[in-house]
Amino acid sequence: MKRGLIWLPLGMFALIFAVVAIGLTRPAERTVRSAMVGKTLPAFTVGAIVPGKPGLSNTMFADGKPRLLNVFASWCIPCIAEAPMLLRLKKMGVAVDGLAIRDTSIAIRAFLARNGDPYERIGDDRQSAVQLALGSSGVPETFVIDGKGRIVLQHVGDIRADDIPEILAALEKAK
Amino acid sequence: MAAVRPVAFVQGLLALLAMGLLIAVFMRSDMSVLLVAQNSHSDKPLLYKFAGAWGNHEGSMLLWVTILGLAGAAVAMLEHNLPKPTLIATLGAQAAIALGFYAFLLFSSNPFARLDPVPADGAGLNPLLQDPGLAFHPPTLYIGYVGISVAFSFAVGALVTRDVGPAFARAMRPWALGAWIFLTLGITAGSYWAYYELGWGGWWFWDPVENASLMPWLAATALLHSVSVLATRDGLRAWTVMLAVVAFSMSMVGTFLVRSGILTSVHAFAVDPKRGSFILALLAIYIGGALVLFALRIGTVRQGRTFDLVSREGALVANNLLLSVILGIVLIGTLYPIVAASFGVQLSVGPPFFNKAAGPVALALVAIMGAGPLLRWRRDDGNELVERMMLPIAAAALAGAGVFIATGGIAILPFLGIALAAGLAAASVAPLWKRNLRRTPLFTWGMVIAHLGIAVSLAGMASESAFTKETLVAARVGEPHRVGPYIVRLDGISPVIGANWSALQARLSVRRGEDGDWFVLRPQSRFFASPPTVTSESAIATVLDGQLYTVLGAPDEQGRWQLRLWWKPFVTFIWLGGALIALGGALSLIGRVRRERKASYREAYV
Amino acid sequence: MALLTATPALADSTLPPADFANTQLRDPAKEARARDLMGTIRCLVCQGQSIADSDAEMAGDMRSLVRQRILAGESPTDIRDKLIASYGDYVTYDPPFNWLTAPLWLMPLILIGIGAWLARGSFKRRRG
């Protein structure tokens, strides 16, 4: 027993060494993913931010049709880069809803006029309450919601051309 | 073999020369040196050009090896108590460590890389670093970090020659003590720096980088106590050697954690996984090697003497045990997010965990700390101990009752903290009772003051956590606001220009109570042009019983200014205690060195 | 060496901070409860700061959320659990006890056990 004990410190060191060596080879995931993926949307209702477009509530997503929920803001620069991709998705027949984070009606109208408007509905999330409930930690983020109001995919960051197949596949699967 | 001492000495001098040259190119703002161009700016005040030399990865690594070389030189010149073979093995170990870090510097972190074409000016230094703290905190902490390498080298030397005994312990003790004093000062200074610079009023965040400095300190503290059992009673041989290895491992683990960027920290460093793998390889060689040597050799070291459970040694063993447990908790808590990540879970381990897990252990340690110095070596009587502890116990009970009556109950950890701090304060001065104070050895004074420092620090922590008052307001000019016993009035905001920054400065008129005298505090929101950054400079009023801490925030559209005000009773005790602990260490060091010198003179003349 | 980060350079909105981001609750007991909870919630967009310490806009929104829920009478545990439901265990500095964190939480006891067992060898057997 005593003999074995002598090697215990070396064993403990080897264990710690292994842990950090593994940690080092795999760069840590810095984006915080939503834990809501795979779960039903949390209950929320937010008003409209733009005249002529309704606001949002979680019950609207349980209409049998899969759709995108795009978390965006007029003050967010990657959102401008993402706008053409959302328009392209809309042309492909994808239903897109928006959740405007910490924004004003004037700013959003200007943003839509400049960058195009892919949204069927836009909710006004003035104090990020819905964003926090969704488990989103920044703008832009896009959630794929299935016809029963369940989140099936979270896309962090702006949607680029090569992200579109993944999003279409998720929408297809959610049917 | 005769060359060992001179070579170690010259190596230290050459490393010092390199550091001196780096400081010189920073002082001259020589932008043809890449490091200067990236981290300095010709407009910067002179102090930060000087200290900026180590305000970056390469420069701080050069500082690290300079201290390593100087420590080797110091051992070569000053150490005369160690038998020659052990000394040679010790210097060999020190040189081997230096070799690895020189390689690290040369191959992956060259501080003298040149830049062509030479830019017109540099990118500047992170404004949060442009603080006198930068001149003091890193060098102090590094002397501590690297000084521990001497204890490690001693342990390796002793293992090589199988010479682990009281003489070895007496030789190692001053070196370990010296490193520990600097670690204590470095941590204390770093804590105060973060406290006033970050502007959140917090003094310890259990952040990975902070834990990286705490872990070697915990191990070194345990080492200091076990080395005195070995020196005085020839016990705990294997354990002392082990702690010397662990203490230096922790300073290397700390360096690794800080530089590799493996963990997210609020204290930013230039991080680079490649450099991380290099340090990790060094870690494997030195620590793995030392542990293999330990396992092969320690079987041949006789077991030291055994002793009774109730004895000074018993208390010191308990001290070692609990310090090691705290060290284990901090280490595992710090690394656990990496473990969780390998199971695909993102996890955060922070203050609530460390307070809950390490807090009770630390409080138990404080209780034992009170009793330890009142115990006799080898064997003591439990009942007599209780008699000797009557006064400290009474002090603890009184403090606890006082707090309870005055406040009607506070959270359990701070409550126990205050009570135990009072008990420890009484117990730590108890070894001086009925003694001729002038004939009390200096190292006994050292112990008393260091233990008292822990009590003072603990009282400060408990008080800060239990009694802090916070006021957040959007203040209009002329409106008075209350925080704790103070009344704070915003008089106005004015622009201020500094050497390389401009700022908005609030003028706050402050008085204590309705009839106190008015005085002025000036918190700022500072803008630095290179690199472009906004920092908030808190304004702090220090009084005997605490600090008033004020921070200026952003304005709103109605012309009000956001103010954050804190009244923190006795918060200064935290760092005052830290200073006392270091002072105690210094007295102890002087006392020990003097006694050893006397003893060696006596031997020479008999 | 502790080098400190400046506020991260995130694009911020032009709206003023959320209602309770920098405004304390009237009731000191409720504010204390909110304060304690905010100190244990990790800011999602910062480097290792709690939402209580962070200047980030999102941290302000989260502080506001915590204070509003406390004001509405929710318990800190419920609020924390809801945040964990959205963001996973990452969001709390106080790791919930489960199969993965069991070794972490039990570690102090294990370490004390191992230590006591090791130290036993240094003591004399009971006097005799």
Side-chain angles (χ1 to χ4, degrees), chain B residues 225-510:
Chain B
H225 290 89
S226 87
V227 92
S228 82
V229 175
L230 182 55
T232 321
R233 302 293 316 157
D234 197 10
L236 304 182
R237 292 177 165 194
W239 180 244
T240 303
V241 170
M242 191 66 211
L243 276 179
V245 174
V246 168
F248 184 56
S249 319
M250 287 307 142
S251 56
M252 282 190 69
V253 166
T255 309
F256 166 77
L257 288 180
V258 165
R259 315 266 166 183
S260 65
I262 193 169
L263 293 163
T264 343
S265 162
V266 68
H267 308 272
F269 286 79
V271 297
D272 180 349
K274 251 187 226 132
R275 290 176 184 153
S277 350
F278 206 118
I279 301 177
L280 196 61
L282 292 180
L283 197 71
I285 296 168
Y286 298 131
I287 307 310
L291 289 173
V292 169
L293 186 67
F294 176 84
L296 292 176
R297 283 295 164 88
I298 208 68
T300 62
V301 174
R302 279 183 307 110
Q303 206 206 345
R305 291 193 206 174
T306 56
F307 36 79
D308 259 27
L309 187 61
V310 182
S311 64
R312 176 79 69 92
E313 293 94 320
L316 286 169
V317 167
N319 147 302
N320 266 249
L321 170 67
L322 295 179
L323 278 170
S324 307
V325 169
I326 297 174
L327 172 61
I329 291 170
V330 176
L331 179 65
I332 291 163
T334 307
L335 295 180
Y336 215 75
I338 308 175
V339 177
S342 57
F343 288 92
V345 176
Q346 287 176 309
L347 197 70
S348 304
V349 180
F353 169 79
F354 290 107
N355 292 341
K356 276 187 242 177
V361 185
L363 291 178
L365 180 61
V366 167
I368 289 170
M369 227 173 105
L374 301 178
L375 281 162
R376 294 196 189 91
W377 290 101
R378 286 180 68 196
R379 161 184 304 191
D380 207 335
D381 183 70
N383 296 332
E384 278 180 38
L385 173 67
V386 173
E387 256 168 55
R388 272 174 253 153
M389 289 286 289
M390 275 330 273
L391 205 69
I393 293 172
L398 210 65
V403 166
F404 192 80
I405 292 165
T407 64
I410 53 175
I412 183 79
L413 277 183
F415 176 76
L416 290 175
I418 288 172
L420 282 170
L424 177 61
S428 56
V429 295
L432 296 180
W433 292 342
K434 296 178 197 153
R435 273 180 97 144
N436 181 338
L437 292 185
R438 294 188 54 190
R439 297 193 57 188
T440 305
L442 213 47
F443 50 77
T444 307
W445 278 102
M447 175 191 74
V448 165
I449 290 175
H451 283 192
L452 190 63
I454 299 269
V456 169
S457 204
L458 177 62
M461 296 171 193
S463 163
E464 197 270 347
S465 117
F467 305 126
T468 293
K469 294 268 182 290
E470 180 191 49
T471 302
L472 309 172
V473 283
R476 276 199 182 80
V477 171
E479 235 173 37
H481 293 279
R482 278 191 157 273
V483 54
Y486 283 92
I487 297 164
V488 178
R489 192 186 65 204
L490 175 64
D491 290 341
I493 304 278
S494 54
V496 189
I497 304 290
N500 55 344
W501 47 264
S502 56
L504 286 174
Q505 178 172 282
R507 189 189 140 97
L508 302 177
S509 283
V510 182

